[in-house]
Amino acid sequence: MRYRGIIFDLDGVIVHTDRYHYKAWKALADRLGIYFDEEINNRLRGVSRMESLDIILERAETVYSDAEKVGLAAEKNAEYQKLLEQMSPADISPEVLGTLGALKARGIRLAIGSSSKNAGLILARTGIRGLFDAVSDGNNITRSKPDPEVFALGAEYIRLSPEDCLVVEDAIAGIDAAVAGGFDSAALGEAAGYAKATYTLARFGDLLELCPG
Ligand code: BG6
Ligand code: MG
């Protein structure tokens, strides 16, 4: 299969902001006295901010109102954005940078497909916005992964149909979203080995073999 476009998840694929999400949720959970660990954190990958909060609150003894939940999500996001302030172009690994540059040089259209409302901020801080032809993120979707909306819009923005695109993901919810949208997918990190993924990548740079241009 020759892919004409690649839609990349951002958190956990291009940048390791997944560890900042974890820290910020952990700070909130600790303050509220709610048990939270890496395993629960893995269920938050690819999932929207409010849905992530609902997963964390599964272990809460208190029932929070919708207004309180909005406040808790804002508290987490403020902590997360504080952590994002540390980010710079040095947070993009030479492997990711080199691979994206080589794929672009092969004429493959590149897009971001992220559930995050902070995607623009992260791309700006790391200086890589210019490498992507389009960004589909948490600001333009109504349903988060595993719904395929974010990838369907990404493909539309780069004027390709799903069958011409490959989705790259580290989240199970993200691979499910790719399958639901009719996309082939390449799994990394936490999603590596997931049976529904079309491929598993041992490393990001392996995309160069999958996408010869
Ligand atoms: C996804 C992350 O990319 O974005 C999730 O994998 C996160 O963990 C989601 O909850 C929403 O992010 P944000 O930045 O809008 O809170
Ligand atoms: Mg991810």
Side-chain angles (χ1 to χ4, degrees):
M1 175 67 190
R2 301 231 156 204
Y3 299 106
R4 297 175 64 204
I6 307 180
I7 306 178
F8 294 90
D9 172 52
L10 181 63
D11 297 315
V13 168
I14 303 287
V15 280
H16 292 291
T17 42
D18 42 344
R19 62 173 187 253
Y20 297 143
H21 276 297
Y22 175 72
K23 273 193 184 176
W25 282 126
K26 178 82 178 131
L28 178 72
D30 285 353
R31 183 181 78 67
L32 300 174
I34 299 171
Y35 179 79
F36 180 63
D37 63 14
E38 293 275 3
E39 207 180 312
I40 300 170
N41 187 58
N42 281 336
R43 290 175 56 206
L44 312 183
R45 289 178 191 272
V47 172
S48 73
R49 195 180 307 163
M50 291 311 289
E51 286 166 305
S52 298
L53 178 64
D54 282 335
I55 291 172
I56 287 166
L57 295 182
E58 283 171 8
R59 297 212 176 213
E61 277 162 24
T62 313
V63 176
Y64 295 92
S65 68
D66 286 350
E68 283 169 327
K69 285 195 207 171
V70 169
L72 295 177
E75 179 181 333
K76 181 267 175 176
N77 194 51
E79 181 63 27
Y80 178 60
Q81 288 190 335
K82 226 191 280 165
L83 294 166
L84 291 182
E85 278 170 25
Q86 308 165 24
M87 293 195 84
S88 73
D91 285 287
I92 307 298
S93 74
E95 181 181 4
V96 167
L97 205 56
T99 304
L100 292 174
L103 292 168
K104 212 172 161 53
R106 291 174 184 182
I108 296 171
R109 296 178 211 170
L110 309 182
I112 290 288
S114 166
S115 302
S116 174
K117 293 191 161 126
N118 289 299
L121 176 65
I122 294 163
L123 293 170
R125 290 211 64 89
T126 52
I128 55 167
R129 173 62 186 88
L131 284 172
F132 297 94
D133 300 294
V135 176
S136 174
D137 66 23
N139 298 298
N140 60 5
I141 54 171
T142 53
R143 298 176 301 276
S144 97
K145 301 168 190 174
D147 188 283
E149 185 181 15
V150 74
F151 296 139
L153 284 171
E156 202 178 300
Y157 295 162
I158 53 173
R159 300 177 312 282
L160 292 173
S161 55
E163 53 271 28
D164 288 326
C165 299
L166 179 71
V167 162
V168 185
E169 261 292 349
D170 72 317
I172 299 290
I175 298 291
D176 287 342
V179 173
F183 295 86
D184 279 2
S185 60
L188 278 168
E190 286 302 321
Y194 182 44
K196 290 190 187 170
T198 318
Y199 316 97
T200 278
L201 302 178
R203 36 189 305 129
F204 191 90
D206 291 349
L207 280 172
L208 293 176
E209 279 138 55
L210 273 185
C211 304

